[in-house]
Amino acid sequence: ELAGQEGPAERLAQHLSTGSHSVVVTAGAGGAFVCVRGEVEAVPAAPVAGVADTSGAGDHFAGTLVAHLARGASLHEATSRAVDDASR
């Protein structure tokens, strides 16, 4: 989480204000948000019962996201797969 920011909407706004045209912000159990050229889409996470440890979930998310983008997936599709994989 970025210092001084309340939630995903504020983090998206901060990144977009720097001139970025595509941004992905994770929201923990809430999934993630994808913004491409001003269009924001929520990517919900499936409910997970009995989470024991979230260590490495962010690393797993980032690795999955980059792998799918490298294979030609859209940012939304890559984010959806990353949310799904990181929640396991």
Side-chain angles (χ1 to χ4, degrees), residues 7-73:
E10 291 82 7
R11 293 188 310 233
L12 278 173
Q14 181 185 28
H15 284 293
L16 292 171
S17 72
T18 67
S20 299
H21 69 81
S22 299
V23 178
V24 175
V25 174
T26 59
F33 293 87
V34 176
C35 182
V36 177
R37 295 181 187 91
E39 296 290 324
V40 178
E41 292 184 66
V43 180
V48 178
V51 175
D53 188 355
T54 60
S55 298
D59 293 334
H60 195 84
F61 177 92
T64 302
L65 178 73
V66 170
H68 284 282
L69 289 172
R71 292 183 187 133

